[in-house]
Amino acid sequence: MLYTRGVNTPNTLESLEPCSKQYSLKADLKLNTWLAVATVVALVSQYLLRLNPFWSSPLRAAVALAPVAPGLLYVRSWFRFVRGLDELQRRIQQEAMLFAAVGTVVIGAVINVLDTNGIAVPGLRHGLELGGTFYAMGGLWLVGTAIANCRYK
Amino acid sequence: MKNQLGELRAGKTWSQGDLAEKLGVSRQTINAIETEKYDPSLPLAFKIARLFKQPIEKIFVPAD
């Protein structure tokens, strides 16, 4: 049964690209449903917090942190997806993620050094901040994936 | 690591895609192994050996 057609089909990144021929709604939903849930929960929790400014601190904290649970489940679905990738794709993703993590640390350190020496970086008054960190990691992940793909082409 | 995968595959007149499907990996993986840019994991090497009914050491040979 080891080589039966379809049994060993690995996950592919193309199955998540809507314009790709290999796009799979099932794979997309399996991966991104928790992201959608986290987004909805975040919007609702922000709305509730704005509507009820006099709630107690523990209640406000609980409502504010409500999106964390579906967010963690989203991370879990990514881990499962990566684990199901073909072994070369998994290596490419590991290299790309390492590239993104190290690159983000380097960018953050450079900005910090410039900042402490009084050299202002346009658009960044307090280091990379959370949003900047996400953008830097996402951008570097794309670059890292492209580099690793070229290496194994 | 040098390997005979390309020759063995050609002997069966399989495309890289056919072999990838039989082994449950991507076509890129087969291409990377054949061009010796990537060494397969031990489980994949065993799958390849079993598929071609050859001992692993006949398919994969250390480079030095």
Side-chain angles (χ1 to χ4, degrees):
Chain A
M1 285 296 105
L2 199 56
Y3 311 116
T4 306
R5 184 190 172 97
V7 166
N8 293 323
T9 311
N11 291 337
T12 61
L13 288 177
E14 287 79 17
S15 66
L16 302 175
E17 294 169 7
C19 300
S20 164
K21 278 182 188 171
Q22 294 175 34
Y23 176 73
S24 156
L25 181 66
K26 193 180 163 193
D28 202 350
L29 286 175
K30 212 171 162 185
L31 184 69
N32 288 320
T33 299
W34 284 115
L35 176 64
V37 172
T39 307
V40 171
V41 173
L43 290 172
V44 171
S45 78
Q46 288 305 307
Y47 175 74
L48 287 174
L49 288 172
R50 227 175 300 136
L51 209 64
N52 304 288
F54 303 112
W55 274 353
S56 66
S57 290
L59 182 57
R60 286 180 67 79
V63 173
L65 294 176
V68 172
L72 288 174
L73 289 168
Y74 176 56
V75 171
R76 186 187 68 164
S77 52
W78 257 108
F79 271 102
R80 284 182 170 175
F81 181 80
V82 170
R83 241 180 267 138
L85 285 171
D86 148 70
E87 62 179 57
L88 178 60
Q89 286 302 319
R90 212 178 311 139
R91 174 180 287 196
I92 288 171
Q93 286 309 309
Q94 282 167 351
E95 286 181 16
M97 285 174 197
L98 186 65
F99 181 80
V102 173
T104 306
V105 169
V106 170
I107 291 173
V110 167
I111 290 171
N112 192 36
V113 166
L114 292 175
D115 202 28
T116 45
N117 288 294
I119 304 156
V121 180
L124 296 170
R125 285 172 55 201
H126 304 290
L128 264 183
E129 293 184 341
L130 192 60
T133 304
F134 283 133
Y135 283 123
M137 284 195 100
L140 289 170
W141 172 73
L142 287 175
V143 173
T145 303
I147 292 170
N149 262 314
C150 280
R151 183 177 300 158
Y152 295 112
K153 230 166 206 161
Chain B
M1 187 91 78
K2 296 198 172 300
N3 69 75
Q4 308 294 318
L5 192 59
E7 290 85 340
L8 289 168
R9 180 179 59 76
K12 298 260 186 192
T13 63
W14 290 338
S15 67
Q16 287 186 341
D18 293 337
L19 181 57
E21 201 174 295
K22 287 174 197 299
L23 294 169
V25 296
S26 64
R27 198 196 59 78
Q28 188 184 7
T29 302
I30 300 300
N31 185 54
I33 295 171
E34 285 187 5
T35 53
E36 291 165 12
K37 288 177 181 167
Y38 174 69
D39 293 331
S41 65
L42 206 49
L44 180 56
F46 270 109
K47 268 188 182 182
I48 292 169
R50 230 177 283 162
L51 182 63
F52 289 107
K53 298 186 174 72
Q54 300 259 354
I56 286 185
E57 62 270 25
K58 264 200 157 181
I59 303 174
F60 298 98
V61 183
D64 39 65

